[in-house]
């Protein structure tokens, strides 16, 4: 990853850290959902690497689905308006939904999505985010599962992008400011 590494100022979550997060959260979710009807819903595109790794550590029968919401585009700050671009296919009635997100920032995206899905008669809705930037929260939202906290820097890799790039970095790193400023 020599070419992409050059744009990173600091590695914040290493490949080994990511493995440990997936093992820990997978075991916790296995325990918490053992008597439930689990549907894992990933928020595209940022959650795909996390979701595919995490679900391999959830030792339960489960189903998966995806939804996509409007993104930041080429900016590093949320516009505040969230829109569904691709909806889930499965009827939620009777499911215990676990929403999978790459990073919780202002909280607007997850607030909007969890409100939308609870209005569709899911049995329960829980939230699992790989990363949390608690310093930047503007809406009241507490995730049920968090991989780890990160400082208020723009981070990329393991699914997270800047302008659709860097998703394939195998770790999470802070993007050099000169790339986006
Ligand atoms: P929120 O609605 O402000 O919580 O924003 C969450 C969404 O913003 C995430 O799903 C990410 O797509 C994006 N985002 C927020 N911070 C970062 C970051 O540091 N790097 C990459 N994407 C980010
Ligand atoms: Mg996202």
């Amino acid at each position: 990853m020599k070419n992409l590494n050059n744009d990173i100022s600091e590695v914040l979550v290493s490949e080994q850290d990511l493995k440990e997060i997936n093992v820990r959260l997978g075991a916790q979710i296995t325990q918490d959902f053992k008597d439930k009807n689990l549907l894992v819903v990933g928020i595209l595109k940022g959650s795909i690497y996390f979701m595919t790794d995490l679900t391999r550590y959830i030792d339960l029968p489960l189903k998966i689905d995806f939804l996509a919401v409007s993104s930041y585009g080429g900016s590093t700050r949320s516009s505040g308006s969230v829109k569904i671009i691709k909806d889930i296919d499965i009827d939620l009635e009777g499911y215990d939904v676990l929403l999978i997100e790459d990073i919780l920032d202002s909280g607007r995206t997850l607030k909007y999505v969890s409100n939308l899905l609870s209005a569709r008669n899911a049995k329960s809705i829980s939230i699992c985010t790989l990363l949390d930037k608690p310093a930047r929260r503007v809406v009241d939202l507490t995730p049920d599962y968090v991989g780890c906290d990160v400082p208020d820097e723009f981070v990329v890799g393991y699914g997270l992008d800047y302008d659709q790039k860097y998703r394939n970095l195998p770790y999470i790193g802070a993007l050099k400011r000169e790339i986006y400023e």
Side-chain angles (χ1 to χ4, degrees):
M1 285 288 147
K2 210 162 55 146
N3 295 314
L4 297 180
N5 288 343
N6 287 336
D7 295 348
I8 302 301
S9 59
E10 191 191 346
V11 177
L12 295 174
V13 191
S14 70
E15 289 185 72
Q16 184 56 36
D17 296 337
L18 288 166
K19 169 87 192 278
E20 286 168 20
I21 286 169
N22 285 318
V23 169
R24 171 175 58 86
L25 293 181
Q28 215 178 321
I29 291 163
T30 301
Q31 184 63 34
D32 294 352
F33 284 79
K34 63 177 186 295
D35 301 316
K36 299 194 171 170
N37 190 17
L38 178 56
L39 172 65
V40 181
V41 175
I43 302 180
L44 294 173
K45 306 171 193 165
S47 70
I48 59 164
Y49 291 77
F50 178 42
M51 178 157 162
T52 53
D53 283 344
L54 173 67
T55 50
R56 280 178 277 186
Y57 294 101
I58 303 176
D59 187 10
L60 294 173
L62 57 79
K63 295 182 184 173
I64 62 171
D65 206 341
F66 294 97
L67 66 82
V69 295
S70 52
S71 74
Y72 285 15
S75 156
T76 58
R77 287 292 180 238
S78 171
S79 62
S81 63
V82 183
K83 231 177 33 202
I84 299 281
I85 294 168
K86 184 237 172 277
D87 208 335
I88 47 177
D89 303 322
I90 296 177
D91 177 358
L92 290 186
E93 181 131 28
Y95 283 106
D96 294 290
V97 175
L98 180 64
L99 275 173
I100 308 287
E101 176 63 306
D102 53 359
I103 186 166
L104 184 50
D105 190 46
S106 72
R108 287 190 186 102
T109 306
L110 276 173
K111 190 86 184 176
Y112 176 84
V113 171
S114 56
N115 286 345
L116 182 95
L117 298 189
S118 22
R120 294 187 188 168
N121 298 323
K123 231 199 295 173
S124 67
I125 305 226
S126 310
I127 290 174
C128 175
T129 185
L130 172 62
L131 306 175
D132 191 4
K133 281 184 188 168
R136 297 201 10 101
R137 199 65 35 80
V138 303
V139 301
D140 179 29
L141 189 128
T142 309
D144 302 278
Y145 306 94
V146 178
C148 65
D149 288 356
V150 283
D152 185 9
E153 291 202 52
F154 199 79
V155 298
V156 294
Y158 198 61
L160 290 105
D161 74 304
Y162 170 64
D163 209 8
Q164 299 300 328
K165 282 194 317 199
Y166 306 104
R167 293 193 197 273
N168 57 326
L169 262 185
Y171 58 86
I172 308 273
L175 190 62
K176 284 183 181 165
R177 289 187 172 269
E178 70 218 47
I179 309 280
Y180 61 88
E181 277 179 352

